[in-house]
Amino acid sequence: MCYAAAIPIVTLIISTAATAYSVDASNDAVKAENDARKQGQLSAEQSFRNQSSDINRSLQQQEEAVINAKVDNAKRAAQARATARTSSGASGVAGLSVDTLMADFYKQEATYRFVTDTNFSYQVEQSRRDLEGVRSGTQSRVNSLRPEPVPGYLGAGLRIAGQTTQAVDQYKRNTDPNYAV
């Protein structure tokens, strides 16, 4: 009779230990996964900072190139105007034709500045869109790496309670001939 009572108790102890071990192992696995996800988030954020910095640095370099190009163009235009004025003065030409030539030089210079500024504004807009794309990609990556909740002990407690009920039921069946379910 003692042996019949011991089997449900031993089964309960083994089941309880197995359930506790299973929950603990699940918790460890989820914690390790969450640590890996946190590292992934940090990596995604660093990648965003690096890519943003590269885009901004490129834009600054383009802006500097535009400024240099406009300064060089202004110098060339001033030299052309000076040459034209000197030549016209040396040859004795004056009046409307010289004024028209000067106006053409100013127009060409202004057109070059306008085209250069327009192209640079397109580059600025494209850089803004590139940054938005990098931001969206990073946010998507970070969202996919959200931590998982650690399994709770409530489910394990309910499984142990169910196993206890089964063990008590089995014990009663084994020890009490009048026990009927």
Side-chain angles (χ1 to χ4, degrees):
M1 198 52 108
C2 190
Y3 175 73
I7 290 177
I9 294 172
V10 170
T11 302
L12 175 63
I13 291 170
I14 292 171
S15 296
T16 302
T19 301
Y21 177 78
S22 173
V23 169
D24 192 48
S26 293
N27 284 346
D28 289 345
V30 169
K31 286 177 184 176
E33 176 67 23
N34 286 344
D35 288 345
R37 287 173 183 237
K38 183 63 177 171
Q39 284 304 115
Q41 286 178 341
L42 294 174
S43 174
E45 291 164 357
Q46 184 61 44
S47 176
F48 170 74
R49 286 189 292 274
N50 292 345
Q51 289 179 35
S52 296
S53 176
D54 290 346
I55 290 170
N56 288 329
R57 187 178 310 111
S58 174
L59 190 59
Q60 288 172 342
Q61 290 169 348
Q62 291 169 357
E63 182 178 29
E64 191 173 318
V66 164
I67 290 169
N68 290 337
K70 288 180 359 183
V71 167
D72 288 345
N73 184 60
K75 285 179 186 177
R76 285 194 311 275
Q79 289 170 348
R81 286 190 300 270
T83 302
R85 284 220 188 266
T86 303
S87 297
S88 65
S91 63
V93 177
L96 190 57
S97 62
V98 174
D99 292 341
T100 303
L101 182 61
M102 291 300 126
D104 187 53
F105 284 139
Y106 282 114
K107 178 183 169 229
Q108 287 179 24
E109 181 183 5
T111 300
Y112 180 83
R113 269 196 323 267
F114 175 75
V115 168
T116 303
D117 288 342
T118 301
N119 287 340
F120 182 66
S121 70
Y122 294 150
Q123 292 171 339
V124 168
E125 177 62 20
Q126 185 59 48
S127 293
R128 186 192 65 74
R129 290 179 184 202
D130 290 346
L131 279 171
E132 187 58 37
V134 169
R135 183 177 296 111
S136 295
T138 300
Q139 189 61 50
S140 176
R141 187 170 164 203
V142 166
N143 288 344
S144 73
L145 296 171
R146 294 268 184 237
E148 291 293 322
V150 178
Y153 288 95
L154 178 62
L158 292 174
R159 284 192 299 273
I160 291 170
Q163 293 165 354
T164 301
T165 303
Q166 286 178 344
V168 168
D169 182 55
Q170 189 64 40
Y171 173 76
K172 290 268 194 185
R173 285 177 194 252
N174 292 343
T175 58
D176 187 359
N178 296 327
Y179 180 72
V181 179

